[in-house]
Amino acid sequence: MPNPSPVLVLNGPNLNLLGLREPAVYGTETLADIEALCHATAAEHGLRADFRQSNHEGVLIDAVQEARTGHLGILINPAGYSHTSVALRDALAAVELPVVEVHLSNIHRREAFRHHSYVSAVAATVICGAGAHGYALGLAHLARLVGAAR
Ligand code: DQA
């Protein structure tokens, strides 16, 4: 079988601490658990997950720009940058790939400053409040958006 097409799964700041970080809000699954879920879900849908995390805004923007050539779409949990980063939003708009935004927690049930995400306006789809399962839902949907769903 030929090499499956890649989608970028991009994780923003502090998500490397999942499992330890506020488990009542974000759950007990680690980022490694979520990475394994993403690899399995992507494979089920004939895709390959290029899974990355960074605490640095510029590194996330570089990853988005690099996805323009060679990746079919982007699943992103922008984490804290959801609520602050016009630059990340602009990068996502520039690459013109299908974008699915995911949040572990339901950001609308939380503090008011989390209710607005700059990324949502450039995302095809937003999933929040489903915990780690949101990544599986998001990848299944991204597979539909890129025409790879089985
Ligand atoms: C988050 C929600 C954000 O408000 C927060 O800053 C995060 C994680 C989530 O997955 O629920 O870091 O994106």
Side-chain angles (χ1 to χ4, degrees), residues 59 61 72 85 103 134:
V59 173
I61 290 167
L72 296 179
S85 182
H103 300 278

Side-chain angles (χ1 to χ4, degrees), residues 13-15 21 26 77-80 82-83 102-105 107 110 114:
N14 301 306
L15 295 174
R21 177 191 181 204
Y26 296 117
N77 183 346
S82 315
H83 319 299
V102 63
H103 300 278
L104 295 153
S105 63
I107 55 176
R110 302 183 61 197
R114 295 185 203 275

